[in-house]
Amino acid sequence: MAYRSDSADPVLIVGSMALDSVRTPTGEVTDALGGSADYSSVAASFFSPVQIVGVVGDDFPKEHLRFLADRGIDLAGVRPISGGKTFRWAGYYDFDLNIAHTLDTQLNVFADFAPVLPDAYKDTKYVFLANIAPKLQLDVLEQVRNPKLTVCDTMNFWIEGARADLLKVLERVDIAFMNDAEARQLTGKMSTVKAAKEIQAIGPKTVIIKKGEHGALLFAGDEHFSAPSYPLEDIADPTGAGDSFAGGFIGFIASMDDLSPTTLRRGVIYGSVMASYNVEDFSLNRLRTLTERDIADRYRRFKEIAYFDALEEAVL
Ligand code: AMP
C-alpha cells in the first residue's frame, strides 16, 4: 500500500522557511535548507498533499523551491520578496543533543510578513501552524473557514517573546505540540503531566509532548499514550526533529481523514518515525532519499520495541 495518495486531504502549513547554520559534535552546515515549514511540509508530503504559506527573500536558492515542488508541495502561498533576506537561524548542540542553543535568529522577511491565503487554501480541513510568530499563526487561523483539525507548535523564543499571542493561539487550536522543556517554561510546572494538563486547560484537548530521543507523550482528554524512543546510535543533527515529527503526524492523520484515538496514536508513531530518520543527517538531507519502504520498516520496529507480554492471570 502506498502511503501517499494525491486524492487525500491536503494539509495547510504556515511556518518558517529558513537558511540554517548549525554545528553539532559531528559536523556543521552553513545556510542550509531549514525552517519549521520546510521540515514539516516535506515530512507531511510522504502522506498527503501539502500547501505551504510562508515567505522567502531572493537569496533563497531556487533549487530549494524546486525540491519542495518536486515533492508535490503546493507553493502558491509562498511569497518571494525581491530585495528581502530569508529568515536565518544559527545554533549549536553540545553532547546533549536534546538541547538546541540558539546563537542568532534573524526574522528578516518574516518581520513584516502578513500571510494572505490563496482562496483555494481557505477551505483546507487540516491546518498545521508550525513554529513561527504566534501573530502569524493567528492570521492564518482567521482566514481558514471551517477546519476539521488545527494543530500548533512553538518554541522558547516565542514563549518568552510573544506569550500573550501564543496563549490566544492555544485557546483556539485542537492539538498543541511542545517539547518537555517548552511545556515547563510555558506553565512553570516541573511535572510533564501537570504541564500537559495545564496546557489542555488553556484550550487544546490534545497535547503532545516531545521528549527528544526519549520518545513522546500524547495526552488526549483523559487518555494517555506513550511512544517509545527509537534506539538510534548516531544522530548527526537534531534540527527539525520536532517539525518532521509534527509533519509526519498531521500528514498521516489527513491521509486517513480520521481523528479517532487509534489514528492519533498511529500518527504519533509515524511522527516519531519521520523525526528519527530526519536526525540521521544534516538539514533535510535524509528526507531527500527516504522511501515508503523505509517508513514502513521503522514503523514496524517501533511496534516491536513497544510490545510486551501480559502476565498470565494465574501468576497474579
Ligand atoms: P526543531 O524541529 O524545533 O528542531 O526546529 C528547527 C527549525 O526551526 C530550524 O530549521 C529553524 O530554522 C527554525 N527556527 C528556529 N528558530 C525559529 C523561530 N524563532 N521561529 C520560527 N522558526 C524557527
Side-chain angles (χ1 to χ4, degrees):
M1 186 202 93
Y3 284 116
R4 162 79 187 247
S5 146
D6 289 335
S7 61
D9 274 300
V11 181
L12 170 60
I13 295 181
V14 61
S16 53
M17 303 182 73
L19 297 174
D20 286 347
S21 297
V22 176
R23 179 164 48 79
T24 80
T26 57
E28 60 186 303
V29 288
T30 304
D31 283 347
L33 177 61
S36 58
D38 294 326
Y39 278 108
S40 54
S41 297
V42 171
S45 72
F46 283 86
F47 302 93
S48 277
V50 176
Q51 304 160 334
I52 293 198
V53 173
V55 64
V56 293
D58 49 17
D59 54 350
F60 193 72
K62 298 276 174 296
E63 74 204 46
H64 295 338
L65 294 173
R66 263 198 308 276
F67 164 58
L68 298 171
D70 285 348
R71 287 226 43 91
I73 296 169
D74 183 341
L75 301 176
V78 174
R79 188 127 60 85
I81 305 284
S82 84
K85 274 186 80 182
T86 298
F87 175 93
R88 275 178 173 70
W89 179 74
Y92 70 94
Y93 303 81
D94 284 328
F95 280 91
D96 183 349
L97 292 168
N98 289 320
I99 302 177
H101 302 276
T102 294
L103 291 169
D104 192 24
T105 303
Q106 293 175 23
L107 292 179
N108 296 334
V109 285
F110 268 103
D112 306 310
F113 178 54
V116 178
L117 298 198
D119 244 6
Y121 291 9
K122 291 185 178 162
D123 292 310
T124 301
K125 291 197 289 184
Y126 291 91
V127 178
F128 178 46
L129 311 170
N131 175 31
I132 192 62
K135 166 81 178 58
L136 299 184
Q137 297 177 318
L138 283 170
D139 281 349
V140 167
L141 277 183
E142 288 297 334
Q143 293 174 62
V144 288
R145 281 193 267 256
N146 192 18
K148 182 165 177 178
L149 182 72
T150 52
V151 180
C152 79
D153 191 10
T154 192
M155 73 181 287
N156 52 6
F157 186 87
W158 305 112
I159 296 173
E160 257 162 57
R163 192 185 174 86
D165 280 340
L166 176 60
L167 291 175
K168 284 189 209 154
V169 175
L170 288 170
E171 280 168 22
R172 294 180 55 175
V173 294
D174 302 307
I175 300 184
F177 274 98
M178 241 165 258
N179 68 33
D180 45 358
E182 290 156 1
R184 281 195 291 269
Q185 185 191 3
L186 179 73
T187 61
K189 295 279 184 279
M190 277 190 340
S191 144
T192 316
V193 178
K194 282 191 178 147
K197 286 191 171 157
E198 195 155 312
I199 298 166
Q200 282 177 306
I202 300 170
K205 283 208 196 64
T206 300
V207 174
I208 295 172
I209 307 274
K210 301 161 289 179
K211 294 165 73 77
E213 58 182 325
H214 306 300
L217 304 171
L218 167 78
F219 298 85
D222 290 334
E223 212 212 331
H224 178 84
F225 173 64
S226 178
S229 62
Y230 184 79
L232 257 192
E233 293 201 13
D234 296 308
I235 297 178
D237 174 14
T239 310
D243 307 314
S244 45
F245 186 114
F249 172 84
I250 193 160
F252 173 72
I253 307 260
S255 74
M256 301 294 286
D257 194 19
D258 174 48
L259 301 178
S260 67
T262 309
T263 299
L264 292 187
R265 285 178 177 221
R266 288 181 177 148
V268 169
I269 300 298
Y270 277 114
S272 307
V273 166
M274 300 310 285
S276 72
Y277 275 122
N278 180 64
V279 302
E280 289 181 0
D281 203 345
F282 281 81
S283 181
L284 282 79
N285 292 340
R286 183 63 184 92
L287 301 185
R288 290 175 192 267
T289 56
L290 195 68
T291 63
E292 294 205 334
R293 168 57 65 86
D294 294 330
I295 296 174
D297 284 348
R298 195 159 285 181
Y299 186 85
R300 259 192 302 278
R301 285 286 292 137
F302 267 94
K303 193 157 190 287
E304 286 162 11
I305 289 166
Y307 180 81
F308 59 92
D309 267 323
L311 277 179
E312 294 300 326
E313 296 267 338
V315 178
L316 295 172

